[in-house]
Amino acid sequence: NRIRKDNPTMNSKNTHLKVDLGERSYPIEIGTGLLKDVKLLARTVQGNRIAIITNTVVAPLYLESLTRSLNEAGKQVISLVLPDGEQEKNWESLMKVFDFLMEHKCDRKTTLVALGGGVIGDMTGYAAASFMRGVPFVQVPTTLLAEVDSSVGGKTGINHPLGKNMIGAFYQPEAVIADTSTLNTLPDKELIAGLAEVIKYGAIIDAGFFEWLEKNIEKLLNREDEALVYAIRRSCEIKADIVRQDERESTGLRAILNFGHTFGHAIEAGLGYGQWLHGEAVGCGMVMAADLSARMGWLDESFGNRIRMLVKKAGLPVVAPALGAERWIELMQVDKKNIGGEIQFVLLKALGKAVVAKVPEDMLLATLKECVA
Ligand code: NAD
Ligand code: MG
């Protein structure tokens, strides 16, 4: 009995789901105290040799505790601490990972563990995809964005000086372990940025989840575990379901995950990357995409208002920066979704129902006029 009480693994809120991809299927474990859950780690992290890749911000917070648990699970652990930041998601960092693995004589059976946000996850995943033509890897996401988005779905990679995420591979992890306790140290701004992607899942697929978010956004902002676990679970389920149907973005379905992103990317690029966090730009971008959907006569205006309200309540910006209409359009034309220069928007036909479409220019200009400062 005493063991039960002291053991965080017995937390009834903890949950898991499966990303169903045939022989590449994997579990997502979500809950509090998972980094200390020796049994769960023994079960989900395969192999006896583990190389943890993390960064200078996350290492002092969680590296020791994860290493100790993995040791207790009978595993040999080495770790590499990279510098922090999006600007480090590059070829030099990737080479540092390879140097480290070579120097430590790692082999095909070494499991890479990504401990950190999306930057560490994307980079470690790509290193795992290419080292010895592929070694197992496990995602241990420590930002909300990574727990609901980047750790799920198998997109891995690094930036090229001329473009974000331009070098990479589809490579699925063996498991995702999302410990919501790690979110307690996350800066507010980063938590809020992650909420943009959570709101997105409700808007594009699940009106019921959207409604739940309207009622529970305060709890998420207060980092209440039960609410976080539920929101992360539902987000992962939705993403996993889309990825299952369109793993390599070939049928167009996966593109609906870019709701808010066409406008959002224009904001990020137009202001210079790093001015607004990605999630902030996506939050504002969703408000703009909802406005455009209403103009197309597809989305009832009341739903558009609800999206704006929820984005605002989450603490995300709802007014876009003035870049000039011409510049806006130019920036949106370079979006990866586009075919032959025509801008493809993810719009809503209803709350919970997204489509990919082109729009007449006068409608787009009207949206820009309405939503820009
Ligand atoms: P990030 O990895 O840079 O993390 C944000 C900041 O929080 C960093 O400074 C980080 O060190 C710090 N941090 C991480 N965990 C922390 C914790 N628990 N406590 C305190 N600080 C912590 O950024 P992100 O938002 O997690 O991820 C963004 C990256 O993810 C981008 O490079 C983006 O391209 C990528 N991404 C990939 C996918 C995909 O499908 N692969 C999807 C979305 C985004
Ligand atoms: Mg995104």
Side-chain angles (χ1 to χ4, degrees), residues 149 197 261 278 282:
D149 190 353
E197 305 284 0
H261 283 61
H278 173 72
V282 168

Side-chain angles (χ1 to χ4, degrees), residues 18-272:
K18 183 177 150 195
V19 183
D20 204 343
L21 290 168
E23 59 181 17
R24 280 171 289 105
S25 296
Y26 54 94
I28 302 176
E29 303 283 345
I30 304 160
T32 54
L34 302 190
L35 297 190
K36 298 196 171 107
D37 189 336
V38 175
K39 264 195 194 156
L40 177 132
L41 292 168
R43 191 173 72 235
T44 46
V45 184
Q46 305 295 312
N48 295 324
R49 266 198 107 188
I50 311 297
I52 301 176
I53 313 298
T54 186
N55 72 26
T56 49
V57 172
V58 178
L61 299 168
Y62 305 111
L63 180 57
E64 201 187 301
S65 118
L66 179 59
T67 302
R68 196 183 318 120
S69 304
L70 287 167
N71 283 335
E72 277 175 40
K75 296 171 193 297
Q76 233 189 68
V77 180
I78 53 173
S79 50
L80 172 66
V81 180
L82 293 168
D84 178 49
E86 181 72 35
Q87 73 283 358
E88 305 291 337
K89 190 176 154 182
N90 58 26
W91 190 254
E92 284 76 34
S93 299
L94 189 70
M95 284 309 291
K96 280 186 203 161
V97 177
F98 294 142
D99 290 349
F100 173 78
L101 297 174
M102 293 298 294
E103 279 158 15
H104 285 84
K105 303 195 165 41
C106 293
D107 59 26
R108 285 213 172 91
K109 294 214 163 129
T110 305
T111 298
L112 303 198
V113 170
L115 174 66
V119 168
I120 285 292
D122 278 14
M123 210 150 52
T124 305
Y126 188 43
S130 17
F131 186 65
M132 296 192 167
R133 301 196 185 85
V135 294
F137 94 107
V138 171
Q139 292 271 20
V140 182
T142 62
T143 64
L144 182 60
L145 180 125
E147 293 189 353
V148 299
D149 190 353
S150 62
S151 68
V152 178
K155 283 192 185 177
T156 71
I158 56 171
N159 299 326
H160 184 276
L162 298 180
K164 269 195 80 182
N165 296 325
M166 280 297 159
I167 319 288
F170 285 99
Y171 193 66
Q172 301 292 346
E174 303 278 300
V176 179
I177 301 168
D179 184 342
T180 55
S181 319
T182 62
L183 301 181
N184 287 322
T185 54
L186 199 62
D188 280 333
K189 219 174 141 71
E190 297 286 351
L191 182 86
I192 289 168
L195 284 175
E197 305 284 0
V198 175
I199 294 170
K200 176 192 78 180
Y201 293 120
I204 59 170
I205 292 278
D206 185 349
F209 182 44
F210 189 92
E211 227 167 90
W212 182 90
L213 288 168
E214 291 178 311
K215 294 196 185 104
N216 293 280
I217 192 77
E218 300 286 351
K219 289 187 187 159
L220 294 172
L221 289 166
N222 291 331
R223 306 175 197 226
E224 289 178 29
D225 275 320
E226 208 163 345
L228 279 173
V229 170
Y230 177 75
I232 293 165
R233 185 192 164 96
R234 190 65 199 117
S235 298
C236 288
E237 274 171 358
I238 291 170
K239 180 156 186 191
D241 197 42
I242 291 173
V243 169
R244 177 179 60 76
Q245 297 174 62
D246 184 17
E247 188 181 0
R248 290 179 170 245
E249 214 164 306
S250 46
T251 72
L253 178 66
R254 194 164 175 166
I256 68 170
L257 291 171
N258 281 317
F259 179 59
H261 283 61
T262 308
F263 290 109
H265 285 148
I267 295 173
E268 287 185 273
L271 294 178

